[in-house]
């Protein structure tokens, strides 16, 4: 993330924190704003043009969104339009991140929401046909959202359902499961955590998870959200990835290293 966008992201988060009474409806409205910005290069250009007067940008925001969303969302969108962006698409991405922050702030159980999202990510990731259907550009967003609704209705919280449905429209990354993973990272950011993707050969007990969590906190120097995936690819041990850093203590890796040394 370039410097202009990084500074604007921080300013947008401060503006969001200044608003009270945020709800899931607010999050849904911000997602709608993000979607509109993602879909329209002209709208992004109008709202990110550094030479345009703020009054003109405010008028565009009011004209496009004023009758569709609450005054809170309009005010936040005007704030986004007042900031400087390294790339025009960044304004859409940050609007999407703000929506995820609202979902996080309204969730009664943020840890539970993170677990739900990871669980659904695993459901999608384990079914290649389902992943293909939800990542395809051939089906409409409405068709894909209808499919997601069938999968999540009655099984997950309203917050998790909103994120799962919105992920269909996101352009932050290409694959649907990867969008869910990105949302998990943003949720962890709100909680002041990083996400540790842990791969193991068999299910870990609660005691083993606690020990692993404490050990990883010591290694990385910060609290981690553990997303644990049981995979048959591993013979034993554990594989951990945190923000690109990898700790690989699997039996398979040790065997491969031994083979390299013998060769």
């Amino acid at each position: 993330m370039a410097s202009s966008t990084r500074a604007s992201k921080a300013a947008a988060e401060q503006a969001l924190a200044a608003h009270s009474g945020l709800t899931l409806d607010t999050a849904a409205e911000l997602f709608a704003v993000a979607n509109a910005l993602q879909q329209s290069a002209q709208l992004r250009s109008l709202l990110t043009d550094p030479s345009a007067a703020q009054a003109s940008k405010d008028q565009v925001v009011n004209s496009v969104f004023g009758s569709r969303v609450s005054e809170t969302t309009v005010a936040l969108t005007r704030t986004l339009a007042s900031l400087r962006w390294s790339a025009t698409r960044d304004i859409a991405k940050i609007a999407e991140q703000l929506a995820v922050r609202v979902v996080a702030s309204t969730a009664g159980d943020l840890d539970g929401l993170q677990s739900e999202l990871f669980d659904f990510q695993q459901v999608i990731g384990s079914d290649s046909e389902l992943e293909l259907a939800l990542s395809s550009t051939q089906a409409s967003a409405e068709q894909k959202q209808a499919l997601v609704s069938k999968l999540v209705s009655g099984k997950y919280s309203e917050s998790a359902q909103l994120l799962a449905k919105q992920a269909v429209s996101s352009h932050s990354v290409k694959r649907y499961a990867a969008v869910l993973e990105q949302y998990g990272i943003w949720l962890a950011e709100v909680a002041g955590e990083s996400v540790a993707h842990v791969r193991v050969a068999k299910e870990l007990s609660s005691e083993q998870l606690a020990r692993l969590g404490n050990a990883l906190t010591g290694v990385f120097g910060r609290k981690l959200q553990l997303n644990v995936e049981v995979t048959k690819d591993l013979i034993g041990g554990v594989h951990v990835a945190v923000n690109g850093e990898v700790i690989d203590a699997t039996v398979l890796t040790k065997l491969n290293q031994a083979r390299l040394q013998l060769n």
Side-chain angles (χ1 to χ4, degrees), residues 231-253:
T231 173
K232 296 179 181 179
D233 294 342
L234 304 183
I235 300 172
V238 61
H239 179 281
V240 180
V242 180
N243 295 340
E245 298 181 65
V246 175
I247 298 176
D248 194 340
T250 63
V251 172
L252 185 58
T253 297

Side-chain angles (χ1 to χ4, degrees), residues 9-253:
K9 175 178 180 289
E13 289 172 356
Q14 287 180 349
L16 180 69
H19 287 274
S20 59
L22 301 176
T23 67
L24 277 183
D25 287 338
T26 312
E29 290 176 353
L30 283 168
F31 278 136
V33 170
N35 293 342
L37 289 167
Q38 286 173 345
Q39 293 163 9
S40 175
Q42 181 182 15
L43 181 59
R44 292 197 304 272
S45 179
L46 287 170
L47 297 186
T48 59
D49 183 358
S51 65
Q54 185 58 41
S56 298
K57 294 182 179 182
D58 289 347
Q59 187 174 2
V60 172
V61 171
N62 293 338
S63 175
V64 175
F65 300 110
S67 63
R68 298 168 53 192
V69 300
S70 66
E71 178 53 38
T72 295
T73 302
V74 169
L76 288 168
T77 307
R78 287 197 293 257
T79 296
L80 290 172
S82 71
L83 301 170
R84 289 188 175 272
W85 305 97
S86 305
T88 60
R89 285 193 174 275
D90 290 346
I91 189 174
K93 184 174 181 179
I94 299 306
E96 187 176 16
Q97 284 186 256
L98 290 184
V100 173
R101 292 185 77 87
V102 174
V103 174
S105 69
T106 58
D109 179 5
L110 184 51
D111 287 342
L113 175 58
Q114 290 173 291
S115 296
E116 284 184 304
L117 199 64
F118 181 67
D119 179 73
F120 189 56
Q121 179 190 331
Q122 293 295 99
V123 169
I124 302 301
S126 64
D127 189 326
S128 58
E129 291 187 5
L130 191 56
E131 166 76 1
L132 182 62
L134 291 173
S135 302
S136 172
T137 57
Q138 302 302 313
S140 67
E142 291 75 15
Q143 290 172 319
K144 290 187 282 189
Q145 285 184 345
L147 175 57
V148 171
S149 292
K150 291 180 181 178
L151 295 170
V152 301
S153 182
K155 298 178 182 178
Y156 298 99
S157 65
E158 287 187 48
S159 298
Q161 290 184 48
L162 176 59
L163 293 175
K165 292 174 185 176
Q166 165 58 26
V168 164
S169 301
S170 176
H171 290 75
S172 54
V173 285
K174 290 184 177 180
R175 291 190 307 106
Y176 179 79
V179 177
L180 296 178
E181 182 177 5
Q182 179 64 73
Y183 285 176
I185 291 172
W186 289 344
L187 290 174
E189 182 181 303
V190 174
E193 303 170 342
S194 293
V195 174
H197 186 184
V198 181
R199 295 170 61 227
V200 292
K202 61 181 181 180
E203 202 77 43
L204 299 179
S205 67
S206 56
E207 183 180 347
Q208 289 173 318
L209 275 174
R211 289 205 305 268
L212 178 61
N214 290 334
L216 291 174
T217 296
V219 170
F220 289 96
R222 57 190 183 276
K223 186 179 179 183
L224 299 172
Q225 164 70 25
L226 301 188
N227 287 345
V228 182
E229 177 186 358
V230 179
T231 173
K232 296 179 181 179
D233 294 342
L234 304 183
I235 300 172
V238 61
H239 179 281
V240 180
V242 180
N243 295 340
E245 298 181 65
V246 175
I247 298 176
D248 194 340
T250 63
V251 172
L252 185 58
T253 297

